[in-house]
């Protein structure tokens, strides 16, 4: 086991290096880099005309070359690309993610500022999805082929087919606009600081209902159907027939014999699903509901060519993803001791 863990940890290094190298190379060829963005915004602030609403990719035209050289030196673009990449790797080895070009803050500080929003969405999405999907999948397996199974399958697949962004727009229009039952934006009201603790909890739940609903419905289908198929596979095995032949009730067979074996593929997916709920699939929801989280931060950084934020968050998310994958594999041994990595 220890040799396997060490091997996996060592394999993370070339994976991280490959992801960072590929992204770094791509950023070198994308037009409208940080220098052009800065010059274009400076001209726009001074009243000058720029193409594309102040984001001209030819921002250096008509500007003093000495001034352009100063801006390049400020952002570190006066050094060759291989040297900049090597310096970046040295920073990341010390877990120094650098400093944002445009927000004048450390990338770590930006991530910590946006993390509470992503945690709110991620925790609610993860727990609600599993608390509903797993019992529903068990019920569908026990009642396989019945009207309940067919009806719930139809509902789950319809919810899965509707994109979360489209569902979010519909929820906003109906419950936020037409009926005005829920707020249209933010996680809290403007008078949050003046509310009591009980009122704050109600206010928070009132704001989080629509975005969490939009994120949760799409994630029901995979977990529900996985649970159902896992239980159906175990129900058809010989040891279940033997347990029933010994006189055990269906409830005893289900919860004492089938449950643990059927939950192996679900439990081992907990780490990946838990981390994925924080860092994936929330960009459109955060944008739609004006939630200032990690998804919106990454999107705005790409648009503004804020490369330290882009590369820093990518490095952090990739590292978390690799560690989570390792934890998921180790969960197989924890749940089923018969699994060996030899």
């Amino acid at each position: 086991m220890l040799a396997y863990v060490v091997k996996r940890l060592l394999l993370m290094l070339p994976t991280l290096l490959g992801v960072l190298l590929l992204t770094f190379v791509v950023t070198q060829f994308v037009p409208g880099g940080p220098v052009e963005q800065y010059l274009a915004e400076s001209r726009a602030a001074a009243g000058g005309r720029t193409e594309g609403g102040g984001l001209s990719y030819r921002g250096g035209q008509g500007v003093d070359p000495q001034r352009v050289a100063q801006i390049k030196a400020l952002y570190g673009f006066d050094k060759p690309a291989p040297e900049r990449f090597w310096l970046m790797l040295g920073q990341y080895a010390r877990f120094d993610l650098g400093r944002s070009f445009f927000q004048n803050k450390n990338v770590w500080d930006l991530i910590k500022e946006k993390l509470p929003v992503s945690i709110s969405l991620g925790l609610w999405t993860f727990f609600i999805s599993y608390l509903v999907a797993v019992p529903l999948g068990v019920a569908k397996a026990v009642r396989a082929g019945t009207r309940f199974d067919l009806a719930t399958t139809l509902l789950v697949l319809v919810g899965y087919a509707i994109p979360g962004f489209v569902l979010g727009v519909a929820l906003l229009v109906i419950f936020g606009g037409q009926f005005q039952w829920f707020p249209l934006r933010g996680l809290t009201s403007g008078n949050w600081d003046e509310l009591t603790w009980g009122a704050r909890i109600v206010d928070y739940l009132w704001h989080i209902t629509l975005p969490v609903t939009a994120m949760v419905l799409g994630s029901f289908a995979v977990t529900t159907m996985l649970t159902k198929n896992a239980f159906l596979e175990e129900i058809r095995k010989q040891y279940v027939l033997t347990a029933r032949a010994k006189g055990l009730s269906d409830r005893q067979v289900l919860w004492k014999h089938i449950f643990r074996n059927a939950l192996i593929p679900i439990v081992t997916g907990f780490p990946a699903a838990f981390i994925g709920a924080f860092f994936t699939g929330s960009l459109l929801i955060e944008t739609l509901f004006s939630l200032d989280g990690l998804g919106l931060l990454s999107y705005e950084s790409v648009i503004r060519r804020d490369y330290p934020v882009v590369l820093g968050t990518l490095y952090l998310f990739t590292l978390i993803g690799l560690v989570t994958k390792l934890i998921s594999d180790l969960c197989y041994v924890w749940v089923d001791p018969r699994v060996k990595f030899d």
Side-chain angles (χ1 to χ4, degrees):
M1 174 67 71
L2 180 60
Y4 174 80
V5 173
V6 172
K7 184 188 299 184
R8 287 289 299 272
L9 291 175
L10 292 176
L11 286 174
M12 291 181 186
L13 297 178
T15 304
L16 275 174
L17 181 62
V19 170
L20 291 174
L21 178 61
L22 179 61
T23 308
F24 183 84
V25 171
V26 170
T27 59
Q28 304 308 303
F29 297 98
V30 175
V35 176
E36 290 81 1
Q37 294 265 351
Y38 179 87
L39 294 173
E41 292 180 3
S42 299
R43 285 213 310 255
R49 293 185 61 186
T50 57
E51 297 179 6
L55 296 178
S56 172
Y57 290 159
R58 294 178 292 177
Q61 292 187 355
V63 180
D64 183 8
Q66 185 176 0
R67 175 62 174 165
V68 176
Q70 292 175 350
I71 299 302
K72 287 184 177 180
L74 176 64
Y75 289 149
F77 285 93
D78 57 331
K79 301 180 179 67
E83 182 180 352
R84 286 188 280 117
F85 181 71
W86 182 254
L87 291 174
M88 183 187 71
L89 291 182
Q91 288 182 333
Y92 287 175
R94 302 188 303 269
F95 286 94
D96 179 7
L97 302 184
R99 194 173 186 85
S100 171
F101 285 156
F102 299 102
Q103 301 192 49
N104 195 28
K105 293 181 179 179
N106 290 328
V107 177
W108 274 116
D109 293 336
L110 287 173
I111 292 176
K112 287 187 289 186
E113 287 179 6
K114 314 299 181 183
L115 195 58
V117 174
S118 297
I119 287 178
S120 295
L121 292 176
L123 283 178
W124 284 111
T125 301
F126 174 80
F127 285 115
I128 293 178
S129 297
Y130 273 88
L131 288 176
V132 175
V134 172
L136 180 60
V138 174
K140 288 172 62 62
V142 174
R143 300 173 176 81
T146 63
R147 292 183 179 179
F148 172 81
D149 182 30
L150 297 176
T152 52
T153 299
L154 178 62
L155 292 176
V156 167
L157 293 180
V158 168
Y160 180 73
I162 300 176
F165 183 76
V166 175
L167 179 61
V169 172
L171 293 175
L172 274 179
V173 171
I174 298 174
F175 298 104
Q178 184 174 356
F179 294 105
Q180 298 183 355
W181 290 348
F182 296 96
L184 299 177
R185 57 186 301 157
L187 280 181
T188 56
S189 300
N191 62 338
W192 168 265
D193 295 332
E194 303 173 1
L195 300 176
T196 62
W197 280 108
R200 287 183 179 183
I201 294 175
V202 174
D203 181 76
Y204 167 75
L205 294 176
W206 183 47
H207 281 78
I208 204 68
T209 298
L210 292 186
V212 168
T213 302
M215 291 185 63
V216 161
L217 289 183
S219 61
F220 276 160
V222 175
T223 307
T224 301
M225 301 309 295
L226 176 63
T227 304
K228 174 189 174 182
N229 293 333
F231 271 80
L232 282 178
E233 182 179 357
E234 294 297 324
I235 288 173
R236 299 188 180 106
K237 289 185 177 180
Q238 183 65 39
Y239 74 88
V240 177
L241 296 177
T242 303
R244 287 174 175 169
K246 290 182 177 180
L248 295 179
S249 64
D250 289 342
R251 180 178 294 273
Q252 290 176 319
V253 172
L254 178 63
W255 298 111
K256 290 186 177 181
H257 296 272
I258 298 176
F259 189 75
R260 179 177 179 180
N261 293 329
L263 281 185
I264 289 177
I266 301 171
V267 172
T268 52
F270 274 1
F274 185 74
I275 298 299
F278 292 99
F279 303 118
T280 60
S282 61
L283 168 59
L284 296 177
I285 299 300
E286 289 180 9
T287 304
L288 179 63
F289 291 93
S290 300
L291 304 176
D292 193 11
L294 291 175
L296 192 58
L297 172 66
S298 301
Y299 172 74
E300 291 178 346
S301 301
V302 171
I303 295 300
R304 300 194 67 184
R305 308 296 192 269
D306 198 346
Y307 293 149
V309 179
V310 173
L311 292 168
T313 53
L314 178 67
Y315 167 74
L316 180 62
F317 295 165
T318 304
L319 182 61
I320 292 175
L322 292 173
V323 174
T324 302
K325 180 62 178 176
L326 174 60
I327 295 174
S328 298
D329 292 342
L330 296 179
C331 283
Y332 277 103
V333 179
W334 175 65
V335 176
D336 189 355
R338 296 171 299 176
V339 176
K340 303 294 182 182
F341 288 117
D342 298 336

